[in-house]
Amino acid sequence: MIPDFLVTHSGGFHADELLSSVILTRLFPQARIVRSRAPEWITPGGDRIIYDVGGAYDAEAGIFDHHQRGAPLREDGQPYSSFGLIWKHYGRDYLAAAGLPEEHIGLVHASFDASFVLPIDLTDNGALSPSGPLAGLTLPALLETLKPVFDDRGPEADDRAFHAALTVARSFVEAKIAQSAAKLRAEALVHRAILDNGEGRVLELPTGMPFRPAIVKAGADHLLFVVHPREKDWCVTGIRRTDEGFELRADLPAAWAGLTNGELEAVCGVGGASFCHNGRFIAAARTREAALAMAKLAVEEAVSGGKA
Protein backbone atom coordinates (compact mmCIF):
# COMPACT_ATOMS: atom_id res chain seq x y z
CA MET A 1 0.00 0.00 0.00
CA ILE A 2 1.19 3.48 -0.89
CA PRO A 3 -0.75 5.82 1.41
CA ASP A 4 -1.99 9.27 0.60
CA PHE A 5 -2.16 10.19 4.28
CA LEU A 6 -0.08 9.60 7.39
CA VAL A 7 -2.46 10.11 10.30
CA THR A 8 -1.44 10.77 13.89
CA HIS A 9 -3.13 12.61 16.74
CA SER A 10 -3.53 16.35 17.03
CA GLY A 11 -2.52 18.48 20.01
CA GLY A 12 0.73 18.08 21.92
CA PHE A 13 3.30 15.75 20.45
CA HIS A 14 5.77 13.24 21.83
CA ALA A 15 8.91 11.55 20.60
CA ASP A 16 7.20 8.34 19.51
CA GLU A 17 4.90 9.79 16.82
CA LEU A 18 7.55 12.29 15.75
CA LEU A 19 10.08 9.52 15.17
CA SER A 20 7.44 7.33 13.53
CA SER A 21 6.81 10.22 11.17
CA VAL A 22 10.51 10.35 10.31
CA ILE A 23 10.37 6.75 9.12
CA LEU A 24 7.09 7.02 7.26
CA THR A 25 7.77 10.30 5.48
CA ARG A 26 11.03 8.88 4.13
CA LEU A 27 9.19 5.89 2.71
CA PHE A 28 6.10 7.79 1.55
CA PRO A 29 7.23 11.35 0.75
CA GLN A 30 4.12 12.04 -1.30
CA ALA A 31 1.80 11.36 1.65
CA ARG A 32 0.37 14.24 3.67
CA ILE A 33 0.65 14.20 7.46
CA VAL A 34 -2.76 14.69 9.05
CA ARG A 35 -2.87 15.42 12.78
CA SER A 36 -6.39 14.70 13.96
CA ARG A 37 -8.53 12.75 16.41
CA ALA A 38 -11.64 13.01 14.24
CA PRO A 39 -13.28 9.58 13.70
CA GLU A 40 -13.27 10.00 9.94
CA TRP A 41 -9.47 10.27 10.01
CA ILE A 42 -8.54 7.68 12.65
CA THR A 43 -10.65 4.94 11.10
CA PRO A 44 -8.54 2.57 8.96
CA GLY A 45 -8.80 2.89 5.20
CA GLY A 46 -6.87 1.95 2.11
CA ASP A 47 -5.47 5.46 1.66
CA ARG A 48 -3.78 5.92 5.06
CA ILE A 49 -1.43 4.73 7.77
CA ILE A 50 -2.61 5.59 11.28
CA TYR A 51 -0.20 5.66 14.23
CA ASP A 52 -0.26 6.59 17.92
CA VAL A 53 -4.01 7.07 17.74
CA GLY A 54 -7.08 5.03 16.88
CA GLY A 55 -7.13 2.47 19.68
CA ALA A 56 -6.00 -0.55 17.68
CA TYR A 57 -2.95 -2.35 16.35
CA ASP A 58 -3.54 -4.09 13.05
CA ALA A 59 -0.64 -3.93 10.61
CA GLU A 60 -2.70 -5.27 7.71
CA ALA A 61 -5.27 -2.53 8.24
CA GLY A 62 -2.51 0.07 8.60
CA ILE A 63 -3.16 1.15 12.20
CA PHE A 64 -0.44 1.21 14.85
CA ASP A 65 -1.65 2.41 18.24
CA HIS A 66 -0.49 1.25 21.68
CA HIS A 67 -2.82 3.03 24.11
CA GLN A 68 -5.62 0.47 24.11
CA ARG A 69 -6.24 -2.44 26.46
CA GLY A 70 -4.29 -5.45 25.30
CA ALA A 71 -1.66 -3.18 23.76
CA PRO A 72 1.11 -4.98 21.88
CA LEU A 73 4.20 -6.19 23.73
CA ARG A 74 7.60 -7.29 22.55
CA GLU A 75 8.54 -10.95 22.85
CA ASP A 76 10.23 -10.20 26.18
CA GLY A 77 7.10 -8.51 27.52
CA GLN A 78 8.32 -4.91 27.18
CA PRO A 79 5.79 -2.45 25.75
CA TYR A 80 5.80 -0.94 22.31
CA SER A 81 5.10 2.67 21.52
CA SER A 82 3.99 3.67 18.06
CA PHE A 83 7.65 4.14 17.14
CA GLY A 84 8.49 0.55 18.00
CA LEU A 85 5.55 -0.72 15.97
CA ILE A 86 6.40 1.41 12.96
CA TRP A 87 10.07 0.38 13.18
CA LYS A 88 9.08 -3.28 13.44
CA HIS A 89 7.03 -3.15 10.26
CA TYR A 90 8.76 -0.44 8.20
CA GLY A 91 12.30 -0.19 9.59
CA ARG A 92 13.89 -2.61 7.15
CA ASP A 93 12.32 -0.79 4.21
CA TYR A 94 13.59 2.49 5.66
CA LEU A 95 17.15 1.13 5.84
CA ALA A 96 16.95 -0.14 2.28
CA ALA A 97 15.71 3.27 1.14
CA ALA A 98 18.64 4.83 3.01
CA GLY A 99 21.01 2.80 0.85
CA LEU A 100 22.32 0.24 3.35
CA PRO A 101 23.73 -2.95 1.80
CA GLU A 102 21.27 -5.80 2.08
CA GLU A 103 23.66 -7.83 4.23
CA HIS A 104 23.75 -5.04 6.84
CA ILE A 105 20.03 -4.32 7.09
CA GLY A 106 19.21 -7.02 9.62
CA LEU A 107 22.10 -6.07 11.91
CA VAL A 108 21.40 -2.34 11.81
CA HIS A 109 17.67 -2.90 12.23
CA ALA A 110 18.27 -4.91 15.40
CA SER A 111 20.92 -2.61 16.86
CA PHE A 112 18.87 0.53 16.20
CA ASP A 113 15.85 -1.12 17.76
CA ALA A 114 17.77 -2.03 20.91
CA SER A 115 19.73 1.18 21.37
CA PHE A 116 17.37 3.87 20.04
CA VAL A 117 13.80 2.60 19.57
CA LEU A 118 13.38 0.58 22.77
CA PRO A 119 14.30 3.47 25.12
CA ILE A 120 11.73 5.65 23.34
CA ASP A 121 9.11 2.90 23.72
CA LEU A 122 9.84 2.44 27.42
CA THR A 123 9.89 6.15 28.18
CA ASP A 124 6.63 6.80 26.33
CA ASN A 125 4.92 4.00 28.26
CA GLY A 126 6.27 5.12 31.63
CA ALA A 127 8.36 1.95 31.98
CA LEU A 128 11.56 3.99 32.01
CA SER A 129 11.87 7.28 33.86
CA PRO A 130 15.24 8.98 33.45
CA SER A 131 16.44 10.75 36.58
CA GLY A 132 19.28 12.92 37.70
CA PRO A 133 20.73 16.09 36.19
CA LEU A 134 20.67 14.70 32.64
CA ALA A 135 17.02 13.60 32.72
CA GLY A 136 15.92 16.75 30.92
CA LEU A 137 18.48 16.17 28.17
CA THR A 138 17.16 12.84 26.92
CA LEU A 139 15.89 12.87 23.33
CA PRO A 140 12.20 12.62 24.32
CA ALA A 141 12.58 15.52 26.74
CA LEU A 142 14.45 17.67 24.25
CA LEU A 143 11.91 17.04 21.48
CA GLU A 144 9.11 18.05 23.83
CA THR A 145 10.81 21.38 24.49
CA LEU A 146 9.93 22.19 20.87
CA LYS A 147 6.22 22.29 21.70
CA PRO A 148 4.57 25.72 21.65
CA VAL A 149 4.72 27.68 24.91
CA PHE A 150 1.52 27.84 26.94
CA ASP A 151 0.36 31.22 25.64
CA ASP A 152 1.06 30.50 21.97
CA ARG A 153 -2.36 29.08 21.27
CA GLY A 154 -2.91 30.02 17.67
CA PRO A 155 -4.91 27.49 15.65
CA GLU A 156 -1.81 26.24 13.83
CA ALA A 157 0.71 26.47 16.68
CA ASP A 158 0.87 22.75 17.46
CA ASP A 159 1.12 21.74 13.80
CA ARG A 160 3.84 24.30 13.08
CA ALA A 161 5.81 23.10 16.09
CA PHE A 162 5.30 19.46 15.12
CA HIS A 163 6.75 19.97 11.64
CA ALA A 164 9.66 21.99 12.99
CA ALA A 165 10.38 19.25 15.54
CA LEU A 166 10.10 16.63 12.80
CA THR A 167 13.14 18.15 11.08
CA VAL A 168 15.13 17.90 14.30
CA ALA A 169 13.99 14.34 14.97
CA ARG A 170 14.93 13.34 11.42
CA SER A 171 18.50 14.54 11.93
CA PHE A 172 18.93 12.30 14.98
CA VAL A 173 17.54 9.20 13.26
CA GLU A 174 19.63 9.71 10.14
CA ALA A 175 22.79 10.37 12.15
CA LYS A 176 22.29 7.28 14.33
CA ILE A 177 21.65 5.07 11.29
CA ALA A 178 24.70 6.50 9.53
CA GLN A 179 26.85 5.81 12.58
CA SER A 180 25.60 2.22 12.83
CA ALA A 181 26.24 1.60 9.15
CA ALA A 182 29.70 3.14 9.42
CA LYS A 183 30.58 0.86 12.34
CA LEU A 184 29.84 -2.17 10.20
CA ARG A 185 32.04 -0.83 7.40
CA ALA A 186 34.76 -0.11 9.94
CA GLU A 187 34.47 -3.60 11.36
CA ALA A 188 35.37 -5.13 8.01
CA LEU A 189 38.42 -2.86 7.67
CA VAL A 190 39.61 -3.50 11.22
CA HIS A 191 39.14 -7.24 10.87
CA ARG A 192 41.30 -7.26 7.74
CA ALA A 193 43.96 -5.19 9.49
CA ILE A 194 43.98 -7.62 12.43
CA LEU A 195 44.53 -10.56 10.10
CA ASP A 196 47.36 -8.73 8.32
CA ASN A 197 48.90 -7.67 11.64
CA GLY A 198 49.38 -11.15 13.03
CA GLU A 199 50.55 -11.17 16.64
CA GLY A 200 51.85 -7.59 16.69
CA ARG A 201 50.76 -5.53 19.65
CA VAL A 202 50.15 -2.38 17.61
CA LEU A 203 47.38 -2.25 15.00
CA GLU A 204 47.80 0.25 12.18
CA LEU A 205 44.64 1.48 10.47
CA PRO A 206 44.30 3.57 7.29
CA THR A 207 42.23 6.26 9.02
CA GLY A 208 40.44 6.98 12.26
CA MET A 209 37.40 4.73 12.73
CA PRO A 210 35.53 2.79 15.43
CA PHE A 211 37.88 -0.09 16.20
CA ARG A 212 37.14 -1.59 19.60
CA PRO A 213 34.03 -3.66 18.65
CA ALA A 214 35.92 -5.40 15.85
CA ILE A 215 38.95 -6.01 18.07
CA VAL A 216 36.76 -7.60 20.72
CA LYS A 217 34.80 -9.62 18.16
CA ALA A 218 38.03 -10.93 16.64
CA GLY A 219 39.33 -11.94 20.07
CA ALA A 220 42.48 -9.90 19.46
CA ASP A 221 43.34 -9.63 23.15
CA HIS A 222 47.05 -9.19 22.35
CA LEU A 223 46.52 -5.72 20.87
CA LEU A 224 47.44 -2.79 23.09
CA PHE A 225 47.50 0.30 20.85
CA VAL A 226 46.09 1.54 17.56
CA VAL A 227 47.95 3.88 15.21
CA HIS A 228 46.23 5.82 12.43
CA PRO A 229 46.60 9.07 10.46
CA ARG A 230 44.57 12.21 11.13
CA GLU A 231 44.28 15.31 8.96
CA LYS A 232 47.81 16.60 9.58
CA ASP A 233 49.42 14.12 11.98
CA TRP A 234 49.22 10.57 13.38
CA CYS A 235 47.56 9.20 16.51
CA VAL A 236 48.56 6.55 19.00
CA THR A 237 45.44 5.44 20.86
CA GLY A 238 44.86 3.05 23.73
CA ILE A 239 42.17 0.36 23.70
CA ARG A 240 39.52 0.39 26.42
CA ARG A 241 39.13 -2.83 28.40
CA THR A 242 35.33 -2.67 28.53
CA ASP A 243 32.46 -0.86 26.85
CA GLU A 244 31.91 1.15 30.01
CA GLY A 245 34.54 3.22 31.76
CA PHE A 246 37.94 4.42 30.62
CA GLU A 247 40.37 1.77 31.86
CA LEU A 248 42.76 0.79 29.08
CA ARG A 249 44.50 -2.42 28.24
CA ALA A 250 47.68 -0.40 28.58
CA ASP A 251 48.33 3.27 29.34
CA LEU A 252 50.86 5.36 27.52
CA PRO A 253 54.00 5.94 29.61
CA ALA A 254 53.51 8.09 32.70
CA ALA A 255 56.59 10.15 31.83
CA TRP A 256 54.87 11.39 28.66
CA ALA A 257 51.70 12.66 30.34
CA GLY A 258 50.79 16.23 29.41
CA LEU A 259 53.95 16.90 27.37
CA THR A 260 54.15 18.42 23.89
CA ASN A 261 56.67 18.92 21.10
CA GLY A 262 60.27 19.37 22.26
CA GLU A 263 59.60 18.33 25.85
CA LEU A 264 57.91 15.14 24.71
CA GLU A 265 60.62 14.42 22.16
CA ALA A 266 63.28 14.77 24.85
CA VAL A 267 61.51 12.42 27.24
CA CYS A 268 60.52 9.67 24.81
CA GLY A 269 63.48 10.02 22.46
CA VAL A 270 61.31 10.08 19.31
CA GLY A 271 61.75 12.94 16.87
CA GLY A 272 58.35 14.14 15.68
CA ALA A 273 56.47 13.26 18.89
CA SER A 274 54.09 16.17 19.39
CA PHE A 275 51.54 15.50 22.13
CA CYS A 276 50.49 13.12 24.90
CA HIS A 277 47.24 13.63 26.73
CA ASN A 278 47.54 13.95 30.47
CA GLY A 279 45.14 11.00 30.76
CA ARG A 280 47.64 8.86 28.77
CA PHE A 281 45.02 7.40 26.44
CA ILE A 282 46.07 9.20 23.26
CA ALA A 283 49.25 10.68 21.82
CA ALA A 284 50.15 12.31 18.53
CA ALA A 285 53.15 12.52 16.24
CA ARG A 286 53.95 14.44 13.10
CA THR A 287 54.82 11.34 11.02
CA ARG A 288 53.80 7.71 10.71
CA GLU A 289 57.27 6.57 11.66
CA ALA A 290 57.23 8.64 14.85
CA ALA A 291 53.79 7.35 15.82
CA LEU A 292 54.85 3.73 15.33
CA ALA A 293 58.04 4.35 17.31
CA MET A 294 56.03 5.83 20.18
CA ALA A 295 53.62 2.91 20.11
CA LYS A 296 56.53 0.45 20.21
CA LEU A 297 57.99 2.19 23.26
CA ALA A 298 54.60 2.20 24.97
CA VAL A 299 54.22 -1.53 24.35
CA GLU A 300 57.70 -2.23 25.73
CA GLU A 301 56.96 -0.31 28.91
CA ALA A 302 53.56 -1.92 29.37
CA VAL A 303 54.95 -5.43 28.84
CA SER A 304 58.03 -4.92 31.04
CA GLY A 305 55.84 -3.45 33.75
CA GLY A 306 53.57 -6.46 33.72
CA LYS A 307 50.55 -4.41 32.73
CA ALA A 308 49.80 -6.30 29.53
Side-chain angles (χ1 to χ4, degrees):
M1 179 184 73
I2 299 178
D4 295 317
F5 305 101
L6 304 174
V7 182
T8 191
H9 61 80
S10 56
F13 53 81
H14 302 95
D16 65 328
E17 78 267 20
L18 270 173
L19 294 163
S20 297
S21 300
V22 170
I23 305 305
L24 294 172
T25 54
R26 173 65 185 265
L27 291 174
F28 309 110
Q30 78 294 334
R32 178 165 68 91
I33 293 177
V34 175
R35 303 184 70 243
S36 176
R37 297 182 187 272
E40 62 268 25
W41 278 115
I42 63 174
T43 299
D47 62 349
R48 66 195 64 178
I49 295 173
I50 304 166
Y51 52 102
D52 209 42
V53 71
Y57 166 48
D58 185 340
E60 290 188 5
I63 184 168
F64 302 88
D65 199 8
H66 68 105
H67 296 100
Q68 64 276 15
R69 287 188 178 185
L73 301 175
R74 294 167 178 267
E75 291 182 0
D76 61 3
Q78 298 189 96
Y80 280 108
S81 74
S82 63
F83 186 35
L85 295 173
I86 291 298
W87 185 251
K88 175 182 177 180
H89 291 278
Y90 294 98
R92 289 175 179 81
D93 291 340
Y94 175 90
L95 295 173
L100 267 69
E102 184 176 352
E103 63 270 20
H104 288 176
I105 286 177
L107 291 171
V108 174
H109 185 272
S111 67
F112 186 75
D113 183 67
S115 65
F116 195 104
V117 181
L118 178 59
I120 301 295
D121 285 356
L122 296 180
T123 301
D124 190 80
N125 283 285
L128 175 65
S129 182
S131 59
L134 294 179
L137 298 179
T138 63
L139 182 58
L142 289 173
L143 290 175
E144 288 199 33
T145 65
L146 302 177
K147 292 179 179 179
V149 294
F150 80 95
D151 49 0
D152 179 8
R153 303 316 306 162
E156 303 298 324
D158 281 324
D159 285 351
R160 284 199 309 271
F162 178 91
H163 285 282
L166 180 59
T167 300
V168 176
R170 189 183 312 281
S171 68
F172 280 104
V173 172
E174 291 179 349
K176 180 65 174 177
I177 294 298
Q179 289 290 331
S180 297
K183 286 180 180 179
L184 289 175
R185 297 195 302 273
E187 184 175 296
L189 293 171
V190 175
H191 183 69
R192 170 50 56 190
I194 291 171
L195 293 177
D196 293 342
N197 190 61
E199 294 302 312
R201 297 280 203 158
V202 178
L203 182 69
E204 184 177 354
L205 296 175
T207 188
M209 65 184 73
F211 55 77
R212 187 179 178 277
I215 289 174
V216 172
K217 186 175 181 180
D221 297 335
H222 60 287
L223 290 171
L224 298 182
F225 297 100
V226 172
V227 170
H228 64 80
R230 293 194 298 192
E231 290 183 6
K232 296 181 179 180
D233 60 4
W234 286 71
C235 276
V236 182
T237 306
I239 301 169
R240 287 188 293 118
R241 288 188 181 275
T242 63
D243 289 336
E244 303 295 330
F246 296 97
E247 185 182 2
L248 302 178
R249 294 181 176 184
D251 295 317
L252 293 163
W256 301 1
L259 299 183
T260 61
N261 300 319
E263 288 184 335
L264 180 58
E265 289 179 326
V267 169
C268 71
V270 176
S274 59
F275 168 77
C276 181
H277 195 283
N278 201 45
R280 298 161 57 200
F281 59 87
I282 188 171
R286 284 184 281 277
T287 65
R288 171 180 178 268
E289 292 72 22
L292 290 172
M294 292 174 72
K296 181 181 178 182
L297 289 171
V299 167
E300 291 173 353
E301 177 164 315
V303 172
S304 65
K307 298 178 181 179

